[in-house]
Amino acid sequence: MKFSVLLPTRNGGRYLGDCIRSVLSQPYEDMELIVSDNANTDDTQKIIESFSEDPRLKTIRTEKPVSVTENWNNALAASSGDYILMIGDDDFLLPNYFIRMQEVIEKYKQPDGITYNGYGYIFPNAISENTPSYYSNPFFNYGPDFKQEKELSPDFLHQIVLDMFQFNVRVPLNTLPHLWSRKVINRVEGNIFRPPYPDHFALNSLFLKAKTWIFLPEQLFIIGVTPSSYGHFVFSDTKQK
């Protein structure tokens, strides 16, 4: 299996169908989509069932809610692909994502990771009541060192990590803008997703372990912010109950 897409979800059924469709509608067969159903009580199971005829879809479920970090690790443990992509239930993959990733992987002889860009979309009422939708183009404003396609050296990756700990964030800390190889994941001792910020821990850990990493100045996804997503609590300055 070339690609595993991990889709952990907790009552995100309102947006889940579009997310799944953006993955399974891609004309690429050597991939799997793993939906990790975190004891959902909404329409999640019905939505998953509507895609059940696609053999690339795999579902796992917990009977009781678990933490975000545990749900992410459950999804990874159920995967078998050489490359791992983590997507949220309010996100969207743009067409031909896997075809483009396959081209880059072959060009650079199976790199440890690939970083790229996309778009951001804030759903109506995602920040507060009666607010319209917004979008950002691009999702992330990379600095001058990221203007063209290139291989990032291990020293450069280590500097990105050092800068992050000085509050100079040079790459997005979300999971969707990065594709990871299983071989670099296996170099990290223990789980790559750890609290309190599993995405931040994973990305920085992988940068420290990577030998080859590619930057691609292309937009390949849409990251969504909904009323129930983490971004809502960041941008609205409210606390999750």
Side-chain angles (χ1 to χ4, degrees), residues 45-60:
Q45 293 189 58
K46 181 186 297 184
I47 294 167
I48 294 172
E49 180 63 27
S50 70
F51 294 94
S52 61
E53 294 184 0
D54 194 316
R56 298 173 296 173
L57 176 64
K58 180 178 180 180
T59 306
I60 59 175

Side-chain angles (χ1 to χ4, degrees), residues 137-149:
N137 178 17
F139 169 70
F140 189 84
N141 290 311
Y142 289 92
D145 292 330
F146 296 90
K147 294 300 183 182
Q148 60 187 10
E149 179 180 328

Side-chain angles (χ1 to χ4, degrees), residues 63-75:
E63 295 307 316
K64 295 182 179 179
V66 298
S67 69
V68 168
T69 302
E70 185 173 349
N71 198 31
W72 289 21
N73 282 315
N74 288 344

Side-chain angles (χ1 to χ4, degrees), residues 140 143-146 154-171 173 204 207-208:
F140 189 84
D145 292 330
F146 296 90
D155 287 343
F156 188 87
L157 297 173
H158 290 184
Q159 189 60 52
I160 290 176
V161 177
L162 291 174
D163 288 343
M164 194 280 293
F165 281 99
Q166 297 181 51
F167 303 99
N168 177 19
V169 181
R170 299 174 65 185
V171 299
L173 295 176
N204 284 288
F207 277 164
L208 292 175

Side-chain angles (χ1 to χ4, degrees), residues 15-140:
Y15 312 98
L16 183 62
D18 288 334
C19 178
I20 292 176
R21 191 172 295 106
S22 78
V23 177
L24 296 182
S25 65
Q26 307 244 352
Y28 194 91
E29 295 302 319
D30 195 14
M31 55 82 71
E32 61 182 1
L33 171 62
I34 298 174
V35 180
S36 186
D37 179 344
N38 190 3
N40 292 327
T41 57
D42 59 2
D43 291 333
T44 292
Q45 293 189 58
K46 181 186 297 184
I47 294 167
I48 294 172
E49 180 63 27
S50 70
F51 294 94
S52 61
E53 294 184 0
D54 194 316
R56 298 173 296 173
L57 176 64
K58 180 178 180 180
T59 306
I60 59 175
R61 175 178 168 82
T62 58
E63 295 307 316
K64 295 182 179 179
V66 298
S67 69
V68 168
T69 302
E70 185 173 349
N71 198 31
W72 289 21
N73 282 315
N74 288 344
L76 178 59
S79 69
S80 60
D82 296 331
Y83 283 86
I84 306 297
L85 176 68
M86 173 75 77
I87 191 171
D89 53 29
D90 48 9
D91 298 332
F92 196 90
L93 274 191
L94 292 176
N96 296 318
Y97 172 88
F98 298 107
I99 293 174
R100 185 66 181 114
M101 288 297 98
Q102 178 71 42
E103 293 172 349
V104 176
I105 289 168
E106 292 177 356
K107 178 179 179 180
Y108 291 97
K109 300 180 180 180
Q110 291 75 48
D112 287 333
I114 305 171
T115 291
Y116 37 83
N117 213 336
Y119 303 88
Y121 179 70
I122 299 178
F123 285 78
N125 304 320
I127 306 302
S128 59
E129 293 184 2
N130 301 318
T131 56
S133 62
Y134 300 85
Y135 76 94
S136 60
N137 178 17
F139 169 70
F140 189 84

